[in-house]
């Protein structure tokens, strides 16, 4: 029903910024809560941020608060994650996901993107 494709990852130095984008196909995008998760090598996938279907409610992991901003544009079927003040510990594959609940847990997500690599060097 929904296909998600992430872009915008890359390699940056500590303190730098990246803007991740997720483009969604399908006509039901606006009915889903959207979120970003990340997975570092050897670690479990963890929640980064989520946004409600109408874009009003937002939630962030503690490590993301004050540094990351999630947004969505239902008219364009996109959800973005602006990442500022990046740290080496932010290095991970970042995944866009869609689910039926807000706040999102990984188990709530029915659709996942392929992931985009973010590498932050010190």
């Amino acid at each position: 029903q929904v296909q998600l494709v992430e872009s915008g990852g890359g390699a940056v130095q500590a303190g730098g910024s990246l803007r991740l984008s997720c483009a969604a196909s399908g006509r039901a995008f606006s009915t889903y809560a959207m979120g970003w998760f990340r997975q570092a090598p050897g670690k479990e996938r963890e929640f980064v941020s989520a946004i409600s279907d109408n874009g009003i409610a937002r939630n962030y992991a503690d490590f993301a608060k004050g540094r990351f901003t999630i947004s969505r544009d239902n008219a364009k079927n996109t959800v973005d994650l602006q990442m500022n003040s990046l740290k080496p510990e932010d290095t991970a594959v970042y995944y866009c996901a869609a689910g039926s609940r807000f706040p999102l847990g990984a188990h709530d997500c029915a659709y996942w993107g392929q992931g985009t690599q973010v590498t932050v060097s010190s």
Side-chain angles (χ1 to χ4, degrees):
Q1 182 66 40
V2 177
Q3 185 171 347
L4 307 174
V5 180
E6 303 97 332
S7 63
V12 298
Q13 293 188 342
S17 298
L18 286 172
R19 187 178 183 88
L20 307 184
S21 295
C22 176
S25 66
R27 62 198 70 185
F29 175 77
S30 63
T31 70
Y32 291 98
M34 300 294 298
W36 290 91
F37 296 77
R38 71 185 188 185
Q39 188 166 22
K43 295 187 176 182
E44 295 183 358
R45 187 174 300 178
E46 65 178 344
F47 170 79
V48 177
S49 183
I51 187 167
S52 61
D53 56 359
N54 60 15
I56 295 176
R58 295 172 172 85
N59 196 36
Y60 298 92
D62 286 343
F63 64 79
K65 292 178 180 177
R67 297 192 298 130
F68 297 177
T69 302
I70 190 170
S71 61
R72 71 187 295 163
D73 187 336
N74 287 347
K76 297 180 179 179
N77 280 15
T78 58
V79 58
D80 291 353
L81 184 69
Q82 178 67 45
M83 308 167 67
N84 298 326
S85 301
L86 285 164
K87 305 173 181 179
E89 52 262 46
D90 294 319
T91 295
V93 177
Y94 284 70
Y95 297 90
C96 177
S100 59
R101 298 183 182 184
F102 181 88
L104 280 178
H107 61 93
D108 297 318
C109 298
Y111 303 99
W112 295 85
Q114 83 286 354
T116 185
Q117 177 71 49
V118 171
T119 302
V120 185
S121 60
S122 60

